[in-house]
């Protein structure tokens, strides 16, 4: 299809604002007389607060308020950023209070101080006297499920948040009938999003008595609901504003600081209060990615046909449910529209432990499942003495596949082409040959892994998106969306969709990038790789309506029926002749100032999107392993994606770079560590948490196989989370190829690799003599 | 926001020594990349600071008449790794300097602060130790010059007397002349990381024999150490792969690594041997030698 704007790398709308430092983030806004809030955190992993005395803290000059659990409404609320469900059976788990008198992890918020400045607030925290009754704690999911394990939440005596699974076919029969059955255990570690901008918000009570919360969030409309619920207020009494945001990656698809910030302001008589976490706090008291343990059992024919699979997942969700219950469930659905299993049994268990809370993070559980599955497939291929690529190719589903459970239909399926393209780009066959019979301290290997993902959450959750367009006097338009720009470039993509539809250049689409729940159309926000796909449909719908209205106004000038006209390059043209008849600006002026017929051209629409589209891709990677130190280095990497039509190649590439680097961090370096005896975090800072730097990041190559998916706007599908799914298993498989050693847990931290090399005899034991 | 109650910013060394003499409880601050981190973590509350930032004379890097290279305590790591004299005479120090932190940190962090902070992971320490560097310390009463080995008193502890400042680092001619060197910083990341192990090697080669070899290790014991037995073994010996392997084995002997959640003792010892061997081999190459079979 011939597009003017779609498919072109339009410069991101906020590029200049961001690189010149003019873009304003939550912490760049100031109110007169602003106060600061600070939180007192539990030093114990599990403890009851038996006494709390804030009198000394309150007496400190400069302290405006001290909040303890008793000062706040005792309403348990759910923090997960999902659309509200009218069906109580589908709601998120309501297990959280703003401040708690039962600490469930080291860092749980017990009390808070509002003061004139940070130093005073810090001093006041030390003056709050708290006595704890320390309870036994539990850090692993296995331990938490044992008889007699400490119970975190009274209404969940077995500590299991959710164990809702799915199945189809008869997996036991497949195991009975299969030529071969393979089993494997895989494990991923707890990692974090590491967005540059901290978790931050400020709140005040406005002149109309309503609470205004400014927050670095992905989901302003949901924040509004949850702040109101947590404080027991009518929803309309809360207004949420979301300015520029410095990254979220799912951590801000959750309500973390906002209810407390609002409560702080209320405690300070409505004065503005800022609560901005420092990095150490972000690590312990926001959200993490679930560490998961997976057991896979697969029935396979001698020819390598996958028959049935049984997947057991143990997901450690930490002290509160957050998204935990839905993550393990959702992740299990993603591989079904990739490999054609006749029978699947998927059994997740999401378990409370006394660790920081796990929640949404780019990929929403899918990276964990695919780490296990794609590692498992390579292990199976080895045992079958079969090429791992061939094994995958043999088992792919086909276009038209309908998922037996979600009923989602695969309308485009570019993975065969992605595999072919990736093999060619990395020179798979040549490299395979070149790597034969390696000796010496540095060895290279090749690996690959596939993934599938969805575009939004249909049919599990509501997919509602809103868009509003107003045509200005000059023929430009102002676009408002409830979807949030969080760095992924969605504003730019919406501008492109609008411009393409209206026949105007991108710079004539003015996107209001700030969301304000008072004025912004309703949309649940940035998550589930949904915005281009879901909100794109709403934007396209709004733009088509504006186009139609503009053409109707033009009819008054031209006498041509709207269907005979088109808008091209800001001109109204007679479509069949390509003849310009008047400018869009003329039409706009008529719409505002015609003495009889004036009615500005606007549209205010929403789309309830009840369809989904599967996105696909594959990572090809070459690694070099230092056989003496255990260090693994990525020497070449290709991520090849089928995300349908690519609306903006540059932005798409940016998504791939970010997603891949996130996955490589998880594959090789990143993990949150806790003292096994106390549950205290060991590395909640950027020195000890080894987020890769740019020097640790290899050149990341992005390539696309552009399919056309009829469900998406201009044929597009999701991409946001996709790139972070397959790199980790591809790296693991490349290390297997290089060394013959199968690792079952990430990260492949040098210490761990060293130990494993020792264990399998690749490194000799030495005896050390000390002087 | 930092809990600082007073700040002195003298412009001359003399003035600094006087202020420090009169207020021995002041905390010296150079680049502040260690001091401010500590304050951020809540120690040094209500501190008074003596800043050396405005004392230009402490930033100088120059060659003294007797061939001693003098590096001012306030020289930043950016300045050190780019400095012509350093690159010409002690390129291994340049290599160590640029391994440190990232560009922003190197712009403000000083070599004096790196040493006085007393961290065993200090990237300049093992290299300076291998170079037989001396430290010039001054207070209002006078000056003293001590070898690196006498400066470290324990983990995070250095021998600085009351009112005493580190003024410069002196690398005597014998310390560097004709030496090839290699610093391997082994860390989990290639930037913005502290060393899991630091190995600094300098050597002089004559007729493909070790005329001299010196090895400094960081994070191998509670303080930076030298590997004297390995050095003595090397002296005069022909450079062969076996010889280098034996040196590396001996380099493990004085180490006292411990197991922590960051790395195990076993792994650290293994790394000392592997990396000492690599560093020696490379230093030999840079000194014009060859350690093939
Ligand atoms: C992000 C980051 C990355 C880092 N990476 C590294 C790294 O890779 N390698 C590494 O070794 N270090 C690293 N560090 C630690 C730190 O930057 C270095 O130790 C640095 O050299 C300290 O120098 P400074 O000038 O900032 O010292 P300051 O913080 O100002 O002072 C450090 C200590 O030395 C004392 N002091 C300073 N100068 C003198 C003097 N002339 N006389 C007497 N006492 C003095 C101070 O009182 C203080 O106790 C890093 C720090 C940060 C924040």
């Amino acid at each position: 299809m011939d597009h003017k704007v779609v498919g072109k790398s339009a410069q991101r709308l906020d590029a200049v604002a961001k690189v010149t430092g003019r873009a304003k983030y939550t912490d760049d806004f100031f109110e007169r007389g602003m106060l600061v809030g600070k939180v007192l955190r539990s030093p114990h992993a599990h403890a009851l607060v038996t006494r709390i005395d804030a009198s000394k803290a309150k007496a400190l000059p400069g302290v405006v308020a001290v909040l303890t659990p008793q000062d706040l409404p005792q309403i348990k609320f759910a923090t997960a950023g999902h659309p509200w469900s009218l069906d109580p059976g589908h709601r998120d788990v309501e297990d959280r209070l703003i401040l708690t008198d039962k600490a469930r992890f080291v860092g749980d918020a017990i009390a808070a101080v509002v003061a004139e400045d940070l130093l005073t607030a810090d001093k006041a925290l030390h003056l709050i006297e708290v006595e704890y009754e320390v309870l036994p704690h539990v850090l692993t999911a296995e331990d938490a499920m044992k008889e007699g394990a400490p119970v975190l939440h009274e209404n969940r005596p077995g500590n299991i948040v959710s164990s809702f699974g799915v199945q189809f076919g008869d997996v036991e029969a497949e195991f009975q009938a299969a030529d071969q059955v393979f089993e494997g255990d895989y494990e991923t570690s707890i990692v974090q999003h590491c967005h540059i901008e901290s978790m931050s918000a400020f709140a005040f009570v406005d002149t109309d008595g309503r609470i205004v919360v400014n927050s670095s969030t992905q989901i302003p409309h949901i924040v509004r609901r949850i702040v109101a619920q947590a404080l027991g207020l009518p929803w309309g009494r809360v207004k949420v504003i979301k300015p520029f945001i410095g990254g979220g990656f799912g951590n801000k698809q959750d309500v973390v600081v906002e209810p407390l910030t609002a409560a702080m302001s209320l405690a300070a008589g409505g004065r503005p209060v800022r609560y901005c976490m420092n990095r150490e706090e972000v690590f312990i008291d926001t959200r993490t990615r679930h560490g998961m343990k997976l057991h896979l059992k697969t029935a396979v024919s001698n020819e390598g046909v996958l028959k049935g699979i049984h997947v057991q997942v143990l997901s450690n969700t930490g002290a509160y449910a957050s998204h935990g219950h839905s993550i393990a469930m959702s992740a299990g659905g993603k591989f079904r529209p990739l490999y054609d299993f006749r029978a699947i049994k998927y059994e997740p268990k999401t378990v409370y432990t006394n660790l920081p809370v796990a929640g949404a993070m780019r990929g929403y559980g899918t990276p964990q499942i695919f780490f296990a599955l794609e590692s498992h497939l390579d292990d199976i291929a080895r045992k079958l003495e079969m090429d791992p690529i061939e094994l995958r190719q043999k088992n792919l589903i086909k276009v038209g596949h309908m998922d037996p459970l979600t009923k989602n239909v695969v309308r485009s399926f570019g993975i065969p082409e992605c595999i072919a393209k990736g093999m060619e780009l990395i020179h798979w066959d040549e490299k395979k040959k070149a790597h034969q019979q390696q000796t010496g301290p540095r060895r290279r290997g090749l690996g690959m892994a596939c993934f599938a993902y969805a575009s939004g959450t249909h049919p599990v959750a509501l997919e509602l998106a809103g868009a509003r367009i107003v045509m200005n006097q000059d023929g430009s338009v102002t676009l408002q969306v409830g979807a949030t720009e969080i760095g992924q470039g969605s504003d730019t993509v919406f501008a492109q969709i609008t411009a393409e539809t209206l026949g105007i250049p991108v710079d004539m689409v003015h996107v209001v990038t700030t969301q304000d729940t008072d004025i912004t159309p309703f949309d649940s926000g940035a998550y589930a790789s949904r915005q281009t796909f879901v909100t794109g449909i709403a934007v396209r719908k709004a733009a088509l309506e504006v186009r139609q209205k503009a053409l109707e106004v033009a009819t008054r000038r031209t006498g041509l029926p709207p269907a005979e006209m088109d808008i091209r390059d800001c001109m109204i043209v007679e479509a069949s002749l390509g003849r310009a008849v008047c400018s869009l600006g003329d039409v706009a002026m008529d719409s505002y100032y015609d003495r009889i017929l004036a009615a500005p051209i606007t549209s205010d629409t929403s789309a309830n999107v009840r369809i989904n589209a599967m996105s696909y891709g594959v990572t090809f990677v070459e690694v070099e392993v230092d056989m003496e130190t255990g260090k693994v280095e990525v020497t070449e990497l290709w991520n090849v994606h089928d995300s349908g039509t690519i609306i903006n190649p540059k932005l798409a590439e940016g998504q791939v770079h970010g997603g891949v680097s996130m996955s490589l961090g998880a594959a090789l370096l990143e993990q949150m560590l806790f003292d096994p005896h106390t549950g205290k975090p060991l590395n909640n800072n950027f020195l000890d948490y080894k987020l890769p730097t740019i020097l640790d990041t290899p050149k990341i190559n992005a390539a696309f196989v552009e399919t056309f998916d009829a469900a998406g706007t201009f044929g597009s599908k999701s991409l946001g989370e996709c790139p972070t799914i397959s790199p980790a298993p591809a790296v693991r498989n490349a290390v297997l190829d290089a060394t013959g050693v199968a690792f079952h847990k990430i990260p492949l931290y040098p210490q761990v690799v060293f130990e494993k090399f020792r264990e399998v005899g690749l490194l000799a034991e030495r005896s050390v003599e000390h002087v | 926001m930092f809990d600082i109650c007073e700040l002195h910013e003298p412009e001359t060394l003399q003035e600094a020594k006087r202020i420090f003499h009169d207020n021995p409880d002041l905390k010296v601050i150079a680049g502040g990349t260690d001091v401010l981190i500590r304050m951020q973590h809540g120690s040094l509350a209500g501190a008074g600071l003596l800043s050396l930032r405005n004392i230009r004379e402490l930033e100088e890097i120059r060659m003294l008449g007797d061939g001693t290279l003098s590096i001012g305590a306030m020289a930043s790591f950016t300045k050190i790794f780019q400095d012509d004299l350093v690159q010409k005479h002690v390129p291994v120090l340049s290599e160590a300097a640029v391994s440190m932190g990232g560009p922003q940190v190197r712009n403000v962090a000083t070599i004096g602060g790196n040493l006085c902070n007393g961290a065993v992971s200090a990237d300049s320490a093992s290299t300076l130790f291998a170079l037989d560097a001396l430290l010039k310390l001054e207070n209002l009463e006078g000056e003293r010059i001590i070898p690196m080995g006498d400066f470290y008193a324990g983990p995070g502890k250095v021998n600085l007397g009351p009112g005493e400042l580190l003024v410069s680092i002196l690398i005597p001619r014998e310390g560097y002349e004709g030496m090839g060197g290699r610093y391997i910083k082994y860390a989990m990341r290639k930037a913005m990381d502290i060393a899991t192990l630091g190995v600094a090697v300098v050597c002089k080669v004559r007729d493909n024999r070790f005329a001299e070899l010196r090895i400094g290790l960081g994070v191998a014991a509670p303080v930076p150490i030298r590997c004297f037995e390995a050095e003595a073994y090397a002296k005069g010996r022909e450079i062969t792969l076996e010889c280098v392997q034996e040196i590396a084995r001996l380099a493990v002997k004085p180490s006292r690594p411990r197991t922590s959640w960051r790395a195990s003792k076993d792994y650290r010892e293994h790394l000392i041997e592997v990396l000492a061997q690599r560093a020696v081999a490379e230093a030999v190459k840079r000194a014009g030698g060859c350690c093939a079979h």
Side-chain angles (χ1 to χ4, degrees):
Chain A
M1 221 185 283
D2 196 21
H3 296 311
K4 284 233 142 78
V5 185
V6 161
K8 309 279 187 304
S9 291
Q11 177 179 303
R12 49 179 310 141
L13 304 183
D14 54 13
V16 173
K18 281 183 173 168
V19 298
T20 56
R22 295 192 60 198
K24 284 184 158 187
Y25 298 81
T26 302
D27 284 357
D28 295 322
F29 293 87
F30 294 89
E31 295 285 330
R32 191 193 298 272
M34 199 154 191
L35 303 167
V36 296
K38 270 293 244 183
V39 168
L40 182 72
R41 302 185 175 284
S42 167
H44 306 293
H46 203 185
L48 290 172
V49 174
T50 51
R51 190 183 72 92
I52 186 160
D53 181 354
S55 52
K56 285 188 189 131
K58 280 184 180 151
L60 186 72
V63 171
V64 179
V66 179
L67 294 84
T68 63
Q70 288 71 40
D71 305 321
L72 294 168
Q74 299 296 306
I75 307 168
K76 292 226 166 144
F77 61 99
T79 64
H82 292 139
W84 182 242
S85 174
L86 293 176
D87 171 5
H90 269 105
R91 290 191 191 146
D92 292 313
V93 181
E94 292 161 348
D95 63 0
R96 197 123 202 204
L97 291 170
I98 297 176
L99 295 171
T100 181
D101 56 12
K102 185 187 190 220
R104 293 179 175 88
F105 65 99
V106 175
D108 210 352
I110 303 296
V113 166
V114 180
E116 300 284 350
D117 61 69
L118 217 47
L119 284 184
T120 308
D122 264 336
K123 283 182 185 145
L125 289 185
H126 288 108
L127 295 175
I128 301 175
E129 293 168 9
V130 188
E131 279 169 24
Y132 295 95
E133 179 194 333
V134 177
L135 305 170
H137 63 262
V138 61
L139 303 181
T140 67
E142 288 97 329
D143 287 347
M145 291 192 310
K146 281 185 186 144
E147 268 289 309
V151 173
L152 275 85
H153 297 269
E154 293 66 25
N155 59 346
R156 291 271 198 304
N159 291 322
I160 293 178
V161 183
S162 162
S163 56
F164 191 74
V166 294
Q167 61 179 332
F168 62 80
D170 185 345
V171 85
E172 288 308 326
E174 296 296 345
F175 290 142
Q176 295 291 320
D179 295 338
Q180 312 227 27
V181 175
F182 297 102
E183 295 190 55
D185 287 289
Y186 305 90
E187 188 176 350
T188 65
S189 299
I190 303 174
V191 296
Q192 207 180 38
H193 320 66
C194 301
H195 36 75
I196 297 178
E197 186 194 19
S198 172
M199 250 344 153
S200 184
F202 68 91
F204 58 90
V205 177
D206 214 345
T207 47
D208 60 1
R210 297 195 310 150
I211 298 171
V212 182
V213 182
N214 284 256
S215 173
S216 173
T217 179
Q218 301 172 213
I219 46 165
H221 279 288
I222 295 176
V223 170
R224 172 195 215 180
R225 161 176 64 82
I226 296 177
V227 168
Q229 287 174 328
L231 292 170
L233 296 171
W235 299 5
R237 285 278 307 281
V238 179
K239 149 168 159 164
V240 174
I241 297 172
K242 175 253 159 206
F244 277 104
I245 147 169
F249 308 108
N251 209 10
K252 298 171 185 174
Q253 189 208 342
D254 211 313
V255 171
V256 177
V257 292
E258 297 91 346
L260 178 57
T261 311
M264 286 171 170
S265 172
L266 290 174
R271 286 179 67 184
V273 181
R274 185 187 314 282
Y275 171 33
C276 175
M277 288 187 174
N278 61 31
R279 183 60 60 177
E280 287 79 354
E281 290 178 297
V282 171
F283 268 112
I284 57 176
D285 189 19
T286 61
R287 302 292 178 263
T288 64
R289 188 192 287 291
H290 291 80
M292 290 191 190
K293 289 189 174 154
L294 303 105
H295 182 80
L296 273 58
K297 183 173 175 189
T298 306
V300 192
S301 78
N302 286 333
E303 296 73 42
V305 177
L306 303 173
K307 301 287 191 184
I309 188 165
H310 183 191
V311 180
Q312 289 168 294
V313 181
L314 208 49
S315 179
N316 184 338
T317 207
Y320 297 94
S322 174
H323 289 257
H325 48 295
S326 94
I327 283 176
M329 186 57 233
S330 154
K334 301 302 193 306
F335 68 88
R336 296 199 304 259
L338 177 58
Y339 299 120
D340 207 3
F341 288 101
R342 286 201 303 225
I344 289 182
K345 187 168 182 191
Y346 179 74
E347 280 187 302
K349 280 200 178 75
T350 300
V351 185
Y352 283 129
T353 64
N354 295 109
L355 284 180
V357 182
M361 180 167 163
R362 198 176 196 170
Y364 213 66
T366 309
Q368 293 96 310
I369 306 286
F370 273 94
F371 170 71
L373 179 63
E374 292 296 299
S375 300
H376 187 54
L377 289 182
D378 260 47
D379 293 346
I380 291 174
R382 277 209 157 221
K383 288 184 187 135
L384 292 174
E385 292 179 13
M386 191 171 178
D387 181 83
I389 298 181
E390 194 192 329
L391 173 66
R392 289 173 172 88
Q393 284 168 327
K394 224 173 215 167
N395 289 287
L396 297 174
I397 57 108
K398 300 202 169 44
V399 173
H401 173 95
M402 185 175 79
D403 187 86
L405 302 170
T406 62
K407 310 291 178 207
N408 283 336
V409 173
V410 175
R411 295 182 176 78
S412 57
F413 186 65
I415 209 147
E417 294 80 8
C418 288
I419 292 175
K421 191 166 185 170
M423 284 180 76
E424 199 180 305
L425 287 166
I426 203 165
H427 303 289
W428 181 271
D429 294 329
E430 294 94 306
K431 283 206 167 97
K432 271 275 177 194
K433 272 202 201 93
H435 293 168
Q436 271 162 18
Q437 266 111 47
Q438 297 179 87
T439 52
R442 293 204 163 83
R443 293 191 203 156
R444 295 205 167 192
L446 284 176
M448 60 87 75
C450 303
F451 75 87
Y453 205 66
S455 306
T457 61
H458 178 78
V460 176
L462 175 68
E463 281 297 359
L464 190 65
R468 187 182 299 139
I469 297 178
V470 174
M471 183 169 284
N472 302 309
Q473 287 88 338
D474 56 358
S476 70
V477 295
T478 300
L479 169 67
Q480 277 181 282
V481 287
T484 53
E485 168 65 71
I486 62 166
Q488 79 283 54
S490 58
D491 279 355
T492 308
V493 162
F494 299 143
Q496 285 179 268
I497 291 172
T498 306
E500 186 72 49
T501 309
L502 287 176
I504 58 178
V506 174
D507 66 5
M508 285 183 68
V509 183
H510 310 298
V511 181
V512 179
T513 192
T514 299
Q515 276 71 36
D516 173 335
T517 53
D518 271 7
I519 46 183
T520 302
F522 189 82
D523 189 302
S524 40
Y527 58 83
S529 305
R530 63 183 286 280
Q531 292 190 156
T532 297
F533 186 79
V534 173
T535 310
I537 291 173
V539 169
R540 170 89 169 147
K541 189 171 160 193
L544 283 171
E545 190 181 325
V546 164
R547 179 180 181 277
Q548 181 63 22
K549 286 181 180 172
L551 294 177
E552 280 164 12
V553 174
T555 296
R556 306 203 296 255
R557 282 183 169 248
T558 64
L560 289 163
E564 298 299 319
M565 291 182 286
D566 192 10
I567 314 173
R568 294 178 197 161
D569 297 332
C570 303
M571 298 300 289
I572 308 291
V573 297
E574 187 171 350
S576 56
L577 302 176
R579 183 181 69 98
V581 289
C582 66
S583 75
L584 187 60
D586 295 336
V587 167
M589 288 300 273
D590 285 354
S591 78
Y592 275 92
Y593 302 113
D594 184 293
R595 293 298 288 260
I596 296 161
L597 297 170
I601 297 172
T602 65
S603 80
D604 189 350
T605 63
S606 64
N608 184 359
V609 176
R610 296 171 60 219
I611 196 166
N612 210 320
M614 303 305 126
S615 297
Y616 298 95
V618 47
T619 301
F620 281 89
V621 68
E622 183 195 48
V623 300
E624 183 174 280
V625 184
D626 186 327
M627 302 302 292
E628 292 174 336
T629 63
K631 258 198 197 177
V632 176
E633 185 142 0
V634 172
T635 46
E636 188 169 345
L637 183 144
W638 290 90
N639 249 46
V640 190
H641 289 265
D642 162 20
S643 287
T645 301
I646 299 299
I647 292 185
N648 186 318
K650 198 75 200 163
L651 289 176
E653 211 181 305
Q655 287 302 294
V656 176
H657 287 187
V660 168
S661 78
M662 206 170 227
S663 184
L664 292 180
L668 297 173
L669 287 172
E670 293 176 48
Q671 56 188 323
M672 287 177 69
L673 297 167
F674 301 90
D675 184 316
H677 305 296
T678 62
K680 286 198 164 85
L682 294 172
N683 62 342
N684 57 326
N685 59 67
F686 277 146
L687 171 60
D688 295 313
Y689 181 89
K690 305 298 183 185
L691 185 73
T693 69
I694 197 68
L695 290 184
D696 304 295
T697 308
K699 181 170 189 287
I700 293 164
N701 298 291
F704 298 92
V705 167
E706 289 197 55
T707 57
F708 183 93
D709 198 286
T713 305
F714 298 111
S716 62
K717 303 191 282 189
S718 67
L719 178 62
E721 294 162 282
C722 301
T724 210
I725 302 170
S726 51
V731 166
R732 177 270 184 198
N733 289 340
V735 172
L736 171 61
D737 183 51
T739 65
V741 181
F743 285 86
H744 292 266
K745 183 178 177 186
I746 46 172
L748 305 181
Y749 209 56
Q751 166 87 43
V752 176
V753 175
F754 159 76
E755 283 167 11
K756 187 86 186 177
F757 283 179
R758 270 272 169 87
E759 187 190 310
V760 302
L762 279 170
L763 280 173
E765 294 277 345
R766 350 177 331 278
S767 61
V768 179
E769 187 195 335
H770 285 285
V771 284
Chain B
M1 200 177 240
F2 293 101
D3 194 0
I4 296 167
C5 68
E6 57 179 312
L7 175 65
H8 301 267
E9 297 181 278
E11 310 246 329
T12 66
L13 177 58
Q14 191 55 30
E15 201 187 332
K17 288 193 283 190
R18 169 153 302 285
I19 297 170
F20 206 10
H21 177 85
D22 295 342
N23 309 273
D25 289 338
L26 288 178
K27 179 70 190 162
V28 174
I29 182 166
T33 58
D34 282 316
V35 170
L36 294 179
I37 301 285
R38 231 175 289 162
M39 291 191 132
Q40 163 86 9
H41 289 167
S43 49
L44 303 173
L49 297 181
L50 171 58
S51 168
L52 309 181
R53 285 295 285 274
N54 293 339
I55 308 177
R56 291 284 159 261
E57 58 195 290
L58 287 182
E59 287 173 24
E60 273 179 353
I61 300 177
R62 59 202 169 95
M63 190 57 84
L64 306 182
D66 63 352
T68 298
L69 184 65
S70 165
I71 300 172
M74 288 298 290
S76 73
F77 281 99
T78 299
K79 179 169 170 147
I80 290 168
F81 101 81
Q82 291 174 345
D83 184 82
D84 291 340
L85 288 170
V86 172
Q87 292 198 350
K88 177 155 178 233
H89 299 289
V90 280
V92 63
L93 183 60
S94 180
E95 189 169 43
V98 78
S99 78
M100 202 267 181
Q104 297 89 338
V105 176
R106 290 196 290 271
N107 285 344
V108 285
T110 65
I111 192 164
N114 200 222
L115 297 179
C116 294
N117 191 52
V120 66
S121 55
D123 278 309
S124 66
S126 40
T127 309
L128 290 172
F129 212 167
L131 286 164
D132 271 342
L134 303 169
L135 305 179
K136 185 170 164 190
L137 310 170
E138 292 184 23
N139 62 13
L140 203 59
E141 272 100 53
E143 69 162 57
R144 57 191 181 114
I145 293 179
I146 60 168
M148 283 284 294
D150 291 349
F151 189 55
Y152 284 93
K157 283 207 195 80
V158 294
N159 287 316
L160 277 169
E164 203 167 41
L165 295 170
L166 172 63
V167 172
S168 58
I169 294 124
L170 304 171
I171 309 175
R173 186 199 291 268
E174 315 78 69
Y176 65 83
E177 205 174 48
M179 296 278 196
R182 170 75 171 131
Y183 178 67
I184 296 180
K185 172 173 179 167
Y186 185 81
M188 296 300 107
R189 288 185 291 224
K190 290 180 183 157
M192 300 298 279
D193 211 351
I194 52 161
T196 308
L197 179 70
V199 183
V201 173
V202 295
C203 69
K204 198 183 284 185
V205 175
R206 210 172 293 129
D207 304 328
N208 215 43
R209 286 175 182 279
F210 283 110
E212 186 154 14
L213 170 78
R214 297 194 293 263
I215 304 175
L217 298 180
V219 210
V223 296
I225 54 166
R226 280 276 292 274
C227 303
F228 293 115
E229 194 178 335
E231 296 175 15
Y233 172 84
K235 198 148 187 143
R237 234 172 251 272
E238 190 185 347
I239 301 172
T240 62
L241 186 61
E242 292 69 36
C243 169
V244 173
Q245 281 170 342
E246 183 57 23
I247 291 169
R249 262 192 294 278
L250 291 172
V252 186
K253 282 180 86 176
S255 72
R256 289 282 177 279
R258 49 181 200 101
T259 292
S260 74
W261 57 267
R262 292 192 173 90
S264 71
K265 173 175 185 291
D266 200 23
Y267 184 44
R268 290 180 200 271
E269 286 174 346
H270 172 79
L271 285 174
I272 294 172
E273 187 173 332
V274 168
L275 299 178
Q277 188 179 330
R278 289 182 187 179
V280 171
E282 182 62 23
V284 162
K285 211 162 115 196
R286 291 179 182 177
C290 166
C291 71
H293 280 282

